[in-house]
């Protein structure tokens, strides 16, 4: 299952306008953002090992997480002002 908790690398700076849903999720997550721009998405396990990575282009992306075993993960998206991170 996916549990979402927002965090930012730059404290005090507003979080980007990303929506990540559903919460919880089992097979897919959707990432919605107000623009279309190439960015890099990465999912790591809690030890920091990358278990999934993908370039994203569209303002809405469907990400298949069905291959991940149940557990907690960190989703990171590199964007123009830094890195958006959320716990899955």
């Amino acid at each position: 299952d996916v549990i979402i908790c927002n965090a930012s690398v730059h404290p005090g700076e507003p979080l980007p306008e990303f929506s990540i849903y559903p919460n919880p999720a089992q097979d897919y997550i959707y990432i919605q953002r107000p623009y279309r721009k190439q960015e890099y998405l990465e999912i790591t396990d809690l030890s920091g090992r990358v278990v999934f990575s993908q370039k994203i282009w569209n303002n809405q992306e469907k990400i298949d997480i069905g291959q991940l075993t149940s557990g907690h993960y960190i989703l990171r998206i590199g964007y123009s002002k830094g890195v958006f991170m959320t716990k899955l």
Side-chain angles (χ1 to χ4, degrees):
D1 287 354
V2 175
I3 310 262
I4 297 174
C5 167
N6 293 330
S8 176
V9 170
H10 304 288
E13 191 173 302
L15 291 171
E17 295 179 22
F18 294 139
S19 295
I20 301 172
Y21 58 91
N23 183 18
Q26 293 181 356
D27 295 320
Y28 295 95
I29 57 172
Y30 294 88
I31 299 170
Q32 192 165 11
R33 54 202 182 133
Y35 55 86
R36 294 176 59 125
K37 184 177 180 183
Q38 179 184 339
E39 295 175 332
Y40 194 73
L41 173 141
E42 188 174 82
I43 298 176
T44 63
D45 63 18
L46 294 183
S47 70
R49 183 176 59 95
V50 176
V51 295
F52 181 86
S53 62
Q54 173 179 320
K55 289 181 181 175
I56 57 174
W57 300 85
N58 298 310
N59 59 335
Q60 183 169 343
E61 297 280 346
K62 179 181 180 180
I63 307 297
D64 182 356
I65 61 168
Q67 77 280 9
L68 299 178
T69 58
S70 292
H72 296 280
Y73 297 91
I74 303 294
L75 180 141
R76 299 188 311 184
I77 299 174
Y79 71 107
S80 62
K81 293 186 179 183
V83 178
F84 171 80
M85 295 189 311
T86 191
K87 183 178 178 183
L88 301 179

